[in-house]
Amino acid sequence: MISASMRVKFDPRKAKRQLQDAITKGIEMSMFVWETAVKMITTTENHVLTGRYRASLNRSTGDGLNHGSQVPESKSGDGLHEKISWKELRGGSNVEYALSLEKSFALMSRALDTARGDMLKLFVDTVAKNT
Amino acid sequence: MSSVLNDISGKLRTYLLGKESLTDEVGTRIFAGPFPSIKTAKIDNQSNPKVSFRQTGGNPKVENFRYAFTVRADTLLEARQISVIISNLFTQEAFGIEDDDGNNLSYWAGIEGSLNDTVDEITGNPEVFFNVNFTSIY
């Protein structure tokens, strides 16, 4: 008789942690897609004067990933890219005139529409790749 | 089969005008579109709206509409109160409209981000600004 056996080590706590890490990474990646879309709209529609608003997107203040000042006008705390929990991330801009830009031109919300498909795809791909 | 709506602004205004909790505060001063600019309109002819909303996005394929709401009042507190009333109207009860063929359409409405305090750049009057995303439910 020929037989084969296989033992799989399964640690539910480790698996849970791995899945959480993958989801966190997926959210982070999809957020970058959105930020790129906001920058594209800002640039192509000629809303850029100093580049401070554009540079503030994806500059972190909360998760230790500070991308540094990209334009001389940038101030510390311009960016809003903070982890709320392992499954939540808040992205945006703390620049004083960001709200005024959003009110007038809806840059961030329109970017959400254009990027939504790519965000979901990248999220799924990233989670699949990391589990 | 229901027809595809590209713009629900008119129906949205009708819906809001039918809600006493809101009309008690603002009357009929609800404007579908951005606030009329003082630079381009004669002040005498303005309807002086308190609430304005305009479509800022959405995707007809997935049947979602995004609207930016701006509430303008004499005080920030009043603007906030009106904003909360509108937010609650959309999020605490089912939001439904009828299309041109008389079919009932239901939407799941969500506030994107938060209610933001801002000011009218021209007059300096307090405003509250927020985004609402309506997603069709079938």
Side-chain angles (χ1 to χ4, degrees):
Chain A
M1 190 180 100
I2 301 170
S3 69
S5 65
M6 187 173 77
R7 180 178 289 175
V8 178
K9 276 188 178 175
F10 179 72
D11 181 350
R13 280 172 302 180
K14 195 178 168 190
K16 188 183 168 193
R17 214 165 37 240
Q18 201 176 354
L19 186 61
Q20 285 184 354
D21 287 347
I23 289 172
T24 302
K25 216 174 270 185
I27 291 170
E28 181 83 29
M29 294 300 287
S30 58
M31 186 61 89
F32 280 126
V33 176
W34 170 75
E35 287 163 354
T36 307
V38 183
K39 286 177 184 180
M40 283 293 288
I41 293 175
T42 312
T43 309
T44 53
E45 294 182 1
N46 291 324
H47 297 301
V48 182
L49 286 179
T50 65
R52 186 180 159 207
Y53 170 77
R54 198 173 45 177
S56 73
L57 298 160
N58 91 17
R59 276 186 57 222
S60 170
T61 55
D63 63 0
L65 282 171
N66 199 325
H67 296 249
S69 294
Q70 294 166 18
V71 291
E73 291 82 0
S74 289
K75 294 174 186 170
S76 64
D78 272 359
L80 178 66
H81 190 86
E82 58 194 18
K83 264 183 198 167
I84 299 168
S85 69
W86 62 271
K87 55 184 176 181
E88 275 180 281
L89 183 69
R90 182 179 291 143
S93 172
N94 273 330
V95 171
E96 310 88 73
Y97 50 86
L99 196 57
S100 174
L101 276 174
E102 189 60 20
K103 204 170 66 175
S104 304
F105 305 111
L107 302 173
M108 293 184 186
S109 54
R110 281 193 291 139
L112 201 56
D113 286 327
T114 56
R116 192 184 296 271
D118 290 339
M119 287 170 77
L120 285 171
K121 188 177 179 303
L122 193 60
F123 173 76
V124 171
D125 288 351
T126 307
V127 172
K129 208 169 155 182
N130 288 281
T131 47
Chain B
M1 189 183 150
S2 64
S3 57
V4 176
L5 294 172
N6 290 320
D7 188 349
I8 57 171
S9 302
K11 294 175 190 294
L12 206 51
R13 182 168 186 270
T14 308
Y15 172 86
L16 291 173
L17 285 173
K19 298 293 173 186
E20 271 181 27
S21 57
L22 181 63
T23 52
D24 284 350
E25 298 289 331
V26 303
T28 57
R29 294 162 70 182
I30 302 171
F31 192 76
F35 277 114
S37 169
I38 287 174
K39 281 180 182 171
T40 55
K42 285 183 182 173
I43 293 172
D44 294 345
N45 293 339
Q46 284 191 59
S47 58
N48 196 18
K50 277 194 169 182
V51 179
S52 95
F53 59 92
R54 62 192 173 97
Q55 193 173 346
T56 55
N59 184 349
K61 277 185 189 170
V62 292
E63 298 258 322
N64 85 301
F65 301 97
R66 177 172 293 102
Y67 278 85
F69 280 77
T70 312
V71 177
R72 190 178 287 174
D74 296 331
T75 63
L76 184 60
L77 182 66
E78 190 190 351
R80 281 179 183 166
Q81 283 170 340
I82 296 167
S83 302
V84 169
I85 291 170
I86 296 170
S87 307
N88 287 346
L89 277 176
F90 289 136
T91 55
Q92 288 186 355
E93 61 177 67
F95 168 68
I97 54 172
E98 273 190 3
D99 70 4
D100 295 335
D101 300 329
N103 299 308
N104 286 318
L105 303 176
S106 296
Y107 292 89
W108 178 84
I111 308 296
E112 278 180 345
S114 49
L115 307 183
N116 302 292
D117 298 341
T118 168
V119 289
D120 170 18
E121 282 85 356
I122 297 167
T123 62
N125 286 342
E127 288 182 348
V128 173
F129 163 77
F130 57 99
N131 281 315
V132 186
N133 186 35
F134 298 93
T135 308
S136 180
I137 309 166
Y138 286 106

